[in-house]
């Protein structure tokens, strides 16, 4: 039996450790966080994050071999394998502001480990997404200390997506483990691989050197986001040429070299990682003297901002360039369906722009209203939050669909139409609704990358 510790009980630390605990009952897994409220939630049935299927996994292992607590120092004392899953946001000050990774939480953790570890051999696993060569910096911190512990730093980035975390963790496309290229490093990587091998087929566990592993994580997110920006740029061209973005996505996606996934045009990608990781990647290219590569990746984020603004401009244009006093109801605030997470959601930018025009903004989301309230706390203007979707749309001029929650497709749109101001407008930022049906009811419908359906 090993004592395994995870520092950081967030969207990654909580679900990944619950999955390891479920599948490795012989190991004791402790998850620590400095945030007492978060830990209290993990110890209750009201988990701090909404993720389908997560509660079942947590309930199965919690109290058996899965423990959540706040005493970081004490937990480090006993640990032989330490996963570090703290946040690594974009640095907002000093050198590299707005681009580089802010590594203060990560470095604090490294120093906590150094100060408190007592075991003779400790494997430190980078679970957080980190700039390439961070493991080297971590190893340096460990070498500087007076600890007699022998450390091995392994990179094991996480690829789960929110909303499907349990499915992704249960059947990962691959588990990536980067180890130092020496005997101790290979042994450490193998120890981590053995944990996953409890439920992941060996051929899906990929062992690489540390730098490849660190960089692959950033590149995976950059490539995924680049697909979204590519298809979003084409959605604009479709709107000018009467091509249909869904037909184009399908046609190109059937080419097995391109593949069908991640080609859904949208209001723009959001989430805590895509923009942050691409900007880190771009900054790294710049740092290593590759300005052309840096510009290429930065343009993926630029297109995303442009797409969000395009969606807003379309609303403004169709409302005769005046939104003052008009009610705009945003359906969805989370950055994607099946999560309550609103970090970097396009909804935040859209809301800001609408309020800038003095619109009255009403927000509905099945799981993200609490986070939406926090995000918009400081924002000036007439913004309200509504738990009942029909009430949210009463007297609205515009329905703007931002998040593709399944339940939005099932709404009674006749009822909604009857209660909205006429002419009633739908702007579908996800091509999620049945546009023809809405048009027949009487709505003016503005999809993405398609010919709009206007009543007159
Ligand atoms: P998060 O903000 O949800 O969780 C991080 C947690 O770390 C917080 O609860 C915070 O209180 C805690 N923390 C910070 N400093 C600490 C310290 N010194 N000691 C103890 N706890 C500390 O972040 P997240 O979404 O779980 O992301 C964590 C990392 O994983 C990031 O690097 C992110 O890029 C990466 N990642 C995230 C996802 C995702 O879907 N969210 C997926 C893959 C990778
Ligand atoms: C993404 C990656 O998919 C994960 O592999 C990675 O681990 C994670 O980032 C991370 O490092 O944080 P996530 O952001 O949770 O996961 O969700 P995605 O499903 O990737 O969606 C990201 C954004 O792109 C969402 O706003 C989504 O709506 C948007 N998107 C996605 C599109 O607009 N179109 C698509 O075709 C696909």
């Amino acid at each position: 039996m090993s004592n395994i510790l995870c520092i950081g009980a967030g969207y990654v630390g909580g679900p990944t450790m619950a999955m390891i605990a479920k599948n490795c009952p012989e190991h004791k897994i402790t998850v620590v966080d400095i945030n007492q409220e978060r830990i209290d939630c993990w110890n209750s049935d009201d988990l701090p994050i909404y993720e389908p299927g997560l509660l079942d996994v947590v309930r199965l292992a919690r109290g058996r071999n899965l423990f959540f607590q706040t005493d970081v120092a004490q937990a480090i004392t006993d640990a032989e394998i330490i996963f570090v899953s703290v946040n690594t946001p974009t640095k907002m000050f000093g050198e590299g502001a707005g681009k580089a990774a802010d590594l203060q939480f990560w470095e604090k953790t490294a120093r906590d480990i150094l100060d408190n570890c007592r075991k003779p051999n400790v494997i430190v696993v980078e679970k957080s997404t980190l700039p390439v060569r961070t493991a080297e910096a971590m190893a340096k911190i460990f070498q500087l200390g007076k600890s007699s512990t022998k450390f091995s730093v392994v990179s094991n980035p996480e690829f789960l997506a929110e909303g499907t975390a349990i499915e992704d963790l249960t059947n990962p496309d691959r588990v990536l483990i980067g180890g130092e290229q020496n005997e101790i490093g290979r042994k450490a990587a193998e120890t981590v691989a053995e944990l996953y091998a409890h439920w992941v087929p060996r051929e899906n566990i990929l062992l690489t050197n540390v730098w490849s592993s660190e960089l692959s994580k950033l590149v995976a997110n950059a490539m995924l986001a680049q697909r979204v920006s590519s298809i979003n740029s084409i959605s604009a061209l479709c709107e000018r040429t009467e091509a249909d973005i869904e037909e184009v996505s399908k046609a190109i996606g059937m080419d097995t070299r391109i593949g069908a996934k991640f080609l859904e045009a949208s209001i723009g990608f959001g989430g805590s990682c895509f923009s942050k990781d691409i900007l880190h990647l771009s900054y790294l290219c710049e740092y290593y003297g590759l300005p052309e590569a840096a510009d290429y990746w930065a343009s993926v984020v630029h297109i995303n901002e442009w797409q969000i603004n395009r969606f807003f401009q379309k609303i403004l244009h169709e409302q005769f360039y005046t939104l003052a006093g008009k009610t705009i109801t945003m359906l969805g605030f989370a950055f994607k369906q099946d999560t309550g997470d609103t970090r970097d959601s396009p909804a935040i930018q859209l809301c800001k722009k609408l309020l800038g025009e003095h619109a009255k903004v009403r927000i509905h989301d099945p799981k993200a209203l609490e986070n939406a309230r926090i995000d918009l706390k400081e924002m000036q203007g007439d913004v309200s939050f509504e738990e009942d979707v029909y009430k949210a749309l009463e007297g609205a001029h515009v329905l703007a669909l931002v998040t593709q929650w399944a339940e939005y497709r099932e709404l009674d749109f006749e009822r909604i139409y009857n209660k909205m101001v006429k002419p009633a407008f739908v702007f579908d930022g996800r091509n999620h609704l049945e546009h023809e049906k809405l048009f027949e009811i009487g709505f003016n419908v503005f999809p993405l990358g398609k010919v709009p359906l206007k009543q007159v």
Side-chain angles (χ1 to χ4, degrees):
M1 179 178 181
S2 296
N3 275 323
I4 298 172
L5 173 66
C6 175
I7 304 180
Y11 285 85
V12 167
T16 50
M17 291 305 122
M19 187 56 69
I20 291 178
K22 176 188 161 190
N23 289 292
C24 308
E26 74 276 25
H27 296 308
K28 181 183 170 197
I29 322 282
T30 305
V31 188
V32 289
D33 203 292
I34 42 176
N35 184 332
Q36 180 72 55
E37 201 185 325
R38 238 183 186 182
I39 290 298
D40 290 346
C41 289
W42 281 113
N43 280 320
S44 76
D45 280 353
D46 185 17
L47 300 184
I49 59 175
Y50 171 70
E51 191 60 56
L54 176 60
L55 184 58
D56 291 341
V57 181
V58 170
R59 272 190 182 147
L60 198 142
R62 195 172 52 196
R64 178 189 75 179
N65 66 328
L66 175 66
F67 303 91
F68 295 93
Q69 65 171 65
T70 49
D71 192 343
V72 180
Q74 185 273 321
I76 290 172
T77 316
D78 296 333
E80 288 139 334
I81 302 176
I82 304 179
F83 286 83
V84 180
S85 186
V86 299
N87 35 330
T88 50
T90 307
K91 195 176 172 199
M92 298 314 281
F93 51 88
E95 187 71 18
K99 279 192 150 191
D102 183 348
L103 296 176
Q104 58 174 309
F105 305 105
W106 166 86
E107 182 169 339
K108 160 98 176 50
T109 310
R111 291 185 188 278
D112 281 348
I113 294 172
L114 183 64
D115 291 346
N116 294 292
C117 66
R118 295 291 174 268
K119 296 284 177 184
N121 297 294
V122 170
I123 299 171
V124 178
V125 187
E126 296 177 344
K127 197 45 139 171
S128 301
T129 303
L130 295 160
V132 62
R133 299 205 78 88
T134 303
E136 192 175 38
M138 196 165 225
K140 273 189 189 147
I141 292 175
F142 294 147
Q143 280 158 15
L144 291 175
K146 294 193 186 81
S147 168
S148 58
T149 298
K150 294 216 171 349
F151 292 100
S152 213
V153 182
V154 169
S155 161
N156 170 223
E158 185 48 57
F159 295 99
L160 68 80
E162 290 179 29
T164 53
I166 296 304
E167 206 181 304
D168 297 341
L169 288 166
T170 306
N171 298 303
D173 288 345
R174 75 323 207 169
V175 168
L176 180 57
I177 301 171
E180 288 166 59
Q181 298 301 291
N182 55 39
E183 205 190 320
I184 297 172
R186 275 189 281 272
K187 213 171 139 204
E190 184 49 35
T191 303
V192 178
E194 272 168 25
L195 292 175
Y196 289 101
H198 280 70
W199 79 97
V200 178
R202 270 282 167 174
E203 60 272 24
N204 291 6
I205 302 177
L206 184 63
L207 299 175
T208 66
N209 78 35
V210 183
W211 324 125
S212 305
S213 172
E214 287 180 338
L215 185 57
S216 299
K217 172 63 199 176
L218 289 182
V219 174
N221 274 359
M223 294 289 280
L224 289 169
Q226 171 264 317
R227 281 174 74 93
V228 178
S229 277
S230 295
I231 206 70
N232 280 344
S233 74
I234 301 301
S235 75
L237 188 58
C238 286
E239 286 166 27
R240 300 278 166 93
T241 56
E242 295 188 17
D244 180 311
I245 193 65
E246 285 184 318
E247 291 179 354
V248 173
S249 289
K250 188 168 179 190
I252 63 167
M254 284 172 78
D255 184 328
T256 51
R257 293 168 304 172
I258 296 174
K261 293 183 181 166
F262 257 75
L263 288 178
E264 284 173 24
S266 67
I267 177 174
F269 60 73
S272 62
C273 295
F274 272 9
S275 288
K276 152 179 100 66
D277 291 349
I278 302 168
L279 292 170
H280 290 184
L281 182 64
S282 172
Y283 184 72
L284 280 171
C285 294
E286 213 173 287
Y287 177 83
Y288 285 104
L290 303 166
E292 290 82 0
D295 289 350
Y296 173 74
W297 287 110
S299 74
V300 172
V301 176
H302 176 69
I303 288 286
N304 197 51
E305 287 159 0
W306 172 76
Q307 180 78 344
I308 299 170
N309 189 46
R310 236 170 49 75
F311 186 77
F312 160 73
Q313 291 291 343
K314 205 185 297 173
I315 298 176
L316 186 60
H317 178 259
E318 294 303 327
Q319 295 296 309
F320 320 109
Y321 283 99
T322 171
L323 292 174
K326 290 183 182 166
T327 300
I328 316 291
T329 299
M330 287 169 53
L331 290 196
F333 204 85
F335 79 97
K336 62 183 280 198
Q337 75 281 27
D338 295 330
T339 177
D341 194 354
T342 59
R343 289 178 293 178
D344 227 351
S345 174
I348 301 172
Q349 286 311 313
L350 177 64
C351 187
K352 197 171 174 183
K353 288 171 191 291
L354 293 171
L355 291 173
E357 292 293 328
H358 294 186
K360 296 178 180 176
V361 180
R362 278 193 211 148
I363 295 165
H364 176 273
D365 190 290
K367 296 287 176 194
L369 276 194
E370 263 325 295
N371 282 333
R373 279 198 183 92
I374 297 167
D375 294 333
L376 303 178
K377 207 169 51 199
E378 314 269 290
M379 228 174 258
Q380 301 281 322
D382 189 340
V383 58
S384 57
F385 305 87
E386 187 51 74
E387 282 178 23
D388 180 324
V389 66
Y390 292 102
K391 268 198 202 153
L393 285 156
E394 255 177 47
H397 295 71
V398 168
L399 180 167
L401 187 128
V402 178
T403 314
Q404 67 280 45
W405 286 99
E407 65 188 70
Y408 290 152
R409 279 177 69 87
E410 310 303 324
L411 294 174
D412 179 348
F413 282 100
E414 296 264 9
R415 177 177 165 193
I416 289 169
Y417 179 77
N418 289 335
K419 293 283 170 71
M420 280 178 69
V421 172
K422 309 298 178 311
F425 288 79
V426 170
F427 294 84
D428 187 347
R430 299 281 181 175
N431 285 342
H432 182 58
L433 304 175
E434 292 177 72
H435 301 146
E436 290 285 346
K437 201 169 127 189
L438 293 176
F439 177 69
E440 279 161 27
I441 291 172
F443 286 100
N444 291 288
V445 186
F446 291 82
L448 280 177
K450 288 168 185 273
V451 176
L453 302 172
K454 296 188 197 179
Q455 297 294 336
V456 279

